[in-house]
């Protein structure tokens, strides 16, 4: 990538900032998606018993998690730049829809992140009732948000390393539960289900929320060491880790205890630990639950902030969002995301959950469409990792998760439809507003630079097939197109950009 038009602080820090390696990336993806079995208890209650919950976490990964992870691996390695899915959509459908994708995903991500400081205090209040009182709760929420935001500011490698430690601490008590529950397990209890008590909306929302966001880590692909090899391995490892972290505790708790499904609500795993192992295990699970929320916050904040940085480097947002600290982190993007978290922290868990799922579903449908279109229109695009299916098979791979997305959207409440619709309208208005601000030069924008697909896997790029080089230039040109460039101006701009690339 050229450096013309990039702020000096961006150029200076990106050369020295440390890259993410395999284990920290696995931990960040794990926290983007899961963070452990905390919150899956509701799937037992909403499913009217263990059977539907267990089947859900066995089948949903096959029709949802694995396809999304495979598509993410292909596109993230083809476009190894910060911004992730914003770049994919821009390459397939142009910058307008790339911006909309970025806005939807960022907004849903900030809403999601608003949950974690609240949940952290909810676990602590059982031992420290003072956090039930606003005089202590509000300063604590602000303190937690500021502290975790500062950790993000200090460096992505620190966030990744802390995520590894938090994952080990959070998952160990459930491994203990799985081991000590074996003598007490009665497999027939796994088959219990009362269809009269099934709440389908809550059931699907619970499964979907606990198994989405596989694409989130793509927003910081530019910070990953050797992304073409690291990303597929990290996604595969994270899928195994997430599915195991759900099934082992559920199999142990529902198989060893004959508890009514109505008692399986958020935080019930602490009681499971008490009944199976004793008070020490209950306290360990409560501590792990609280700490897991910190890991979830850190992973989400990193993804949101580097997405804004990537959008700024593409010229979609003002240049200030591309500025980096001396630690290589996007300072303004982090602060902007943290402000959104604070403003949204007043909403309830269920309200946030449904809004997140709806906006996320819209964005994922667009990603699946981009995946298929790029397969059709750019078959020679350099793909360091490619889903081992031809175009027809790749299309079939997207159908089951697309049906699931539509189902989740259809089950949403009227209020969710209205609020999500309002968010979509805001995105439609915000894009031309930024274009106008750019044309009028009200604020500084980074001059667009190539943010295209990877072309560096071969030792010598000069021997790459001519068709691949032309295809790479074509994708880069599309991403570089000015937000306000349309019609006949586009042809002259493409010639200018290709001249610079040469």
């Amino acid at each position: 990538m050229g450096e013309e038009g990039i702020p000096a602080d961006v150029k200076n820090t990106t050369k020295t900032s440390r890259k993410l390696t395999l284990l920290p990336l696995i931990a960040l993806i794990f926290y983007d998606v899961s963070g452990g079995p905390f919150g899956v208890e509701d799937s037992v209650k909403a499913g009217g018993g263990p059977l539907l919950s267990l089947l859900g976490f066995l089948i949903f990964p096959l029709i949802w998690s694995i396809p999304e992870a495979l598509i993410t691996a292909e596109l993230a390695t083809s476009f190894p730049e910060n911004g992730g899915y914003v770049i994919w959509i821009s390459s397939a459908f142009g910058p307008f829809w790339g911006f909309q994708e970025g806005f939807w995903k960022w907004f849903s991500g900030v809403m999601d992140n608003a949950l974690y400081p609240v949940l952290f205090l909810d676990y602590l209040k059982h031992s420290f009732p003072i956090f039930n009182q606003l005089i202590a709760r509000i300063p604590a929420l602000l303190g937690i948000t500021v502290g975790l935001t500062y950790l993000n500011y200090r460096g992505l490698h620190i966030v990744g390393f802390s995520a590894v430690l938090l994952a080990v601490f959070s998952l160990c008590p459930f491994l203990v539960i799985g081991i000590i529950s074996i003598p007490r397990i009665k497999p027939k209890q796994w088959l219990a289900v009362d269809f009269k008590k099934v709440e389908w909306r809550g059931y699907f929302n619970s499964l979907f929320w606990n198994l989405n966001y596989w694409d989130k880590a793509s927003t910081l692909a530019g910070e990953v060491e050797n992304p073409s090899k690291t990303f597929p391995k990290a996604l595969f490892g994270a899928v195994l880790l997430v599915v195991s972290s759900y099934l082992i505790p559920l199999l142990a708790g529902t198989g060893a205890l004959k508890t009514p499904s109505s008692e399986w609500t958020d935080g019930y795993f602490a009681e499971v630990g008490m009944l199976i192992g004793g008070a020490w295990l209950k306290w360990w699970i409560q501590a792990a639950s609280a700490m897991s929320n910190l890991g979830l916050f850190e992973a989400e904040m990193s993804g949101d902030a580097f997405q804004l940085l990537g959008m700024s480097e593409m010229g979609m947002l003002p240049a200030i969002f591309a500025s980096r600290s001396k630690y290589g982190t996007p300072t303004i993007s982090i602060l902007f995301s943290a402000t959104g978290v604070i403003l949204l922290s007043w909403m309830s868990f269920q309200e946030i959950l449904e809004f997140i799922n709806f906006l996320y579903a819209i964005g994922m449908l667009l990603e699946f469409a981009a995946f298929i279109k790029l397969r059709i229109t750019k078959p020679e695009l350099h793909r360091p990792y490619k889903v081992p299916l031809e175009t027809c098979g790749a299309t079939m791979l997207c159908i089951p998760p697309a049906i699931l997305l539509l189902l989740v959207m259809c089950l949403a409440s009227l209020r969710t439809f209205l609020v999500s619709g309002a968010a979509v309208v805001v995105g439609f208005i915000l894009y031309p507003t930024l274009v106008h601000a750019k044309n009028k030069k009200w604020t500084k924008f980074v001059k667009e630079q190539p943010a295209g697909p990877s072309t560096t896997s071969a030792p010598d790029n000069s021997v790459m097939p001519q068709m691949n080089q032309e295809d790479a230039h074509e994708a880069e040109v599309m991403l570089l197109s000015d937000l306000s460039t349309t019609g006949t101006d586009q042809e002259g701009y493409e010639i200018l950009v290709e001249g610079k690339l040469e």
Side-chain angles (χ1 to χ4, degrees), residues 183-203:
R184 302 175 57 177
I185 287 179
K186 298 177 181 178
K188 66 178 182 179
Q189 293 181 182
W190 295 332
L191 304 178
V193 60
D194 185 350
F195 286 101
K196 295 179 180 178
K197 295 182 179 180
V198 175
E199 302 170 12
W200 291 110
R201 187 203 295 181
Y203 172 73

Side-chain angles (χ1 to χ4, degrees), residues 91-120:
S91 182
F93 302 115
F96 174 83
W97 288 109
F99 180 87
Q100 302 310 316
E101 173 81 0
F103 179 72
W104 300 336
K105 288 297 190 77
W106 178 83
F107 189 64
S108 66
V110 170
M111 290 180 70
D112 186 40
N113 225 11
L115 290 171
Y116 303 127
V118 174
L119 291 176
F120 178 78

Side-chain angles (χ1 to χ4, degrees), residues 86-152:
V86 178
I87 301 177
W88 314 342
I89 304 303
S90 297
S91 182
F93 302 115
F96 174 83
W97 288 109
F99 180 87
Q100 302 310 316
E101 173 81 0
F103 179 72
W104 300 336
K105 288 297 190 77
W106 178 83
F107 189 64
S108 66
V110 170
M111 290 180 70
D112 186 40
N113 225 11
L115 290 171
Y116 303 127
V118 174
L119 291 176
F120 178 78
L121 290 183
D122 284 345
Y123 281 107
L124 289 186
K125 71 182 182 183
H126 295 294
S127 302
F128 304 97
I130 191 173
F131 289 121
N132 271 322
Q133 302 176 21
L134 289 179
I135 193 172
R137 190 174 182 85
I138 292 177
L141 284 172
L142 292 173
I144 292 167
T145 303
V146 170
L148 295 177
T149 300
Y150 177 73
L151 187 60
N152 263 272

Side-chain angles (χ1 to χ4, degrees), residues 139-404:
L141 284 172
L142 292 173
I144 292 167
T145 303
V146 170
L148 295 177
T149 300
Y150 177 73
L151 187 60
N152 263 272
Y153 164 76
R154 284 301 303 270
L156 191 57
H157 66 285
I158 295 178
V159 173
F161 180 72
S162 63
V164 172
L165 296 181
L166 287 170
V168 171
F169 179 77
S170 299
L171 293 179
C172 278
F174 296 100
L175 182 60
V176 172
I177 282 182
I179 294 173
I180 65 178
S181 67
I182 292 175
R184 302 175 57 177
I185 287 179
K186 298 177 181 178
K188 66 178 182 179
Q189 293 181 182
W190 295 332
L191 304 178
V193 60
D194 185 350
F195 286 101
K196 295 179 180 178
K197 295 182 179 180
V198 175
E199 302 170 12
W200 291 110
R201 187 203 295 181
Y203 172 73
F204 281 109
N205 271 318
S206 177
L207 291 176
F208 187 66
W209 183 65
N210 282 291
L211 288 168
N212 62 16
Y213 281 91
W214 294 98
D215 59 339
K216 193 68 180 182
S218 70
T219 59
L220 41 84
E223 312 301 311
V224 176
E225 183 178 287
N226 194 6
S228 63
K229 293 184 178 179
T230 304
F231 246 102
K233 291 178 181 178
L235 284 162
F236 178 75
V239 167
L240 294 179
L241 187 60
V242 168
V243 174
S244 299
S245 73
Y246 290 156
L247 286 177
I248 290 175
L250 282 173
L251 288 168
T254 59
L257 303 173
K258 195 171 184 179
T259 308
S261 62
S262 59
E263 296 197 19
W264 282 82
T265 56
D266 282 339
Y268 187 70
F269 269 125
E271 189 63 25
V272 171
M274 177 71 180
L275 296 173
I276 292 179
W280 65 274
L281 191 51
K282 176 181 179 179
W283 281 95
W284 191 2
I285 291 173
Q286 286 181 332
S289 302
M291 298 304 291
S292 177
N293 285 294
L294 304 186
L296 288 162
F297 185 100
E298 291 292 272
E300 183 67 58
M301 176 67 76
S302 297
D304 292 340
F306 277 95
Q307 177 193 314
L308 295 182
L309 179 145
M311 292 176 71
S312 179
E313 289 179 339
M314 294 171 66
M316 289 184 173
L317 293 175
I320 192 171
F321 287 97
S323 63
R324 297 197 187 217
S325 68
K326 62 182 179 180
Y327 305 107
T329 49
T331 309
I332 301 301
S333 295
I334 289 173
L335 292 175
F336 194 74
S337 298
T339 302
V341 168
I342 293 172
L343 293 177
L344 293 170
S345 60
W346 57 270
M347 298 179 68
S348 71
F349 178 84
Q350 287 301 326
E351 285 177 330
I352 290 179
L353 179 60
E354 205 166 286
F355 295 150
I356 290 170
N357 286 347
F358 195 92
L359 286 173
Y360 185 83
I362 298 175
M364 280 308 306
L365 288 172
L366 199 54
E367 286 182 33
F368 289 150
F371 171 69
I372 295 169
K373 183 175 181 182
L374 289 172
R375 277 294 192 96
I376 295 172
T377 60
K378 299 182 184 299
E380 301 302 322
L381 179 68
H382 181 58
R383 295 172 169 88
Y385 172 84
K386 184 177 181 180
V387 178
L389 295 170
E390 296 303 321
T391 302
C392 181
T395 302
M396 297 298 294
L397 178 70
C398 296
I399 291 177
I403 292 173
L404 175 60

